[in-house]
Amino acid sequence: MISRKAKIYRLLLQAIDHAGMEPQDKERRKKRIKSLLRIKAFNEISKGVIFETESSIFVVGAHLPYLTYQGKRIIGMTTDSPMYRLFKGKKSGDTIDYGAEKESISIL
């Protein structure tokens, strides 16, 4: 059985393949995604983590084209973005005020 993280990983690579960008940009983004996902397992949100809330899935350390998976938007964020500072250091089960809602975090 394929894990949810592996399915999202495949979706990211497929989306980059189908994105309207130059071939060298596609390869650069695919290498970036592959390098992020080789990083060890995580207990808290940091570079390379894929995590989700009730409304979205986040990939830390990658800029992504618009994607959805099972009705959730997949959002790429860099470690220098203001959004990352909101999530940095949070663990599975922590809650965050995201938009108008309070949402629970789950690290994949």
Side-chain angles (χ1 to χ4, degrees):
M1 183 157 147
I2 299 173
S3 73
R4 224 167 151 223
K5 184 176 181 177
K7 288 179 184 177
I8 293 169
Y9 172 74
R10 285 184 185 168
L11 176 71
L12 294 172
L13 294 178
Q14 289 172 357
I16 290 169
D17 277 338
H18 294 90
M21 61 180 78
E22 296 294 320
Q24 65 269 22
D25 290 336
K26 286 183 184 183
E27 287 307 310
R28 190 181 80 243
R29 287 189 186 190
K30 286 169 73 173
K31 283 181 185 178
R32 179 79 175 145
I33 294 293
K34 288 175 183 178
S35 72
L36 287 174
L37 294 172
R38 275 192 280 254
I39 299 173
K40 62 178 176 66
F42 298 95
N43 319 359
E44 65 182 40
I45 296 173
S46 60
K47 186 176 182 180
V49 170
I50 296 176
F51 68 98
E52 69 179 323
T53 64
E54 285 84 358
S55 64
S56 304
I57 297 171
F58 297 88
V59 179
V60 180
H63 178 73
L64 303 171
Y66 181 82
L67 300 167
T68 59
Y69 176 74
Q70 295 184 348
K72 292 185 179 187
R73 179 157 183 226
I74 299 177
I75 301 169
M77 72 173 99
T78 62
T79 55
D80 58 349
S81 73
M83 185 180 279
Y84 175 71
R85 288 191 289 266
L86 178 68
F87 291 106
K88 183 180 179 184
K90 300 287 185 191
K91 298 178 180 179
S92 283
D94 287 351
T95 57
I96 191 85
D97 291 325
Y98 181 65
E101 303 292 323
K102 191 172 239 136
E103 296 193 20
S104 179
I105 293 169
S106 177
I107 295 175
L108 303 180

